[in-house]
Amino acid sequence: MYEFSATFAVLGGRERLTALSRLWSRNSDMARQLANNVVESLRTQPLVLALVLINVIVVAGFAFTQHEVSKSIERKDTMLQSCIERR
């Protein structure tokens, strides 16, 4: 990791993009292989697969709720700011 960072610091623009694309490709291959291994192990254990899916759905629900709440707070803050400015 440190070797790549030191090399990255002295590279020019085009070379940096090439180095980043190589790093991204290597990491995406590792992520793809990890995902494949996880899927294969979950196929043999349906209970674990069901628990993982339920957890993913719950986490996605929380993330959506948090996103909506933050948008609502932003709208409220904008409305309050406009009321203050009118006064």
Side-chain angles (χ1 to χ4, degrees):
M1 183 69 176
Y2 293 112
E3 178 182 332
F4 179 77
S5 298
T7 304
F8 185 74
V10 295
L11 293 177
R14 180 169 283 211
E15 292 85 8
R16 280 185 185 177
L17 289 176
T18 304
L20 283 174
S21 68
R22 286 183 187 150
L23 180 64
W24 180 262
S25 175
R26 189 175 342 139
N27 285 341
S28 66
D29 290 342
M30 281 194 315
R32 187 176 297 119
Q33 185 174 359
L34 176 65
N36 285 338
N37 290 343
V38 168
V39 168
E40 287 302 319
S41 66
L42 289 177
R43 282 185 182 171
T44 61
Q45 301 173 354
L47 177 62
V48 175
L49 177 60
L51 291 174
V52 167
L53 287 175
I54 290 170
N55 284 333
V56 166
I57 291 169
V58 168
V59 168
F62 282 136
F64 177 74
T65 302
Q66 182 180 5
H67 176 71
E68 291 299 314
V69 167
S70 68
K71 284 185 355 182
S72 174
I73 291 171
E74 186 177 334
R75 285 192 305 266
K76 179 194 67 132
D77 289 344
T78 304
M79 183 183 66
L80 286 174
Q81 187 65 30
S82 68
C83 291
I84 291 170
E85 290 172 355
R86 288 181 190 170
R87 203 162 195 222

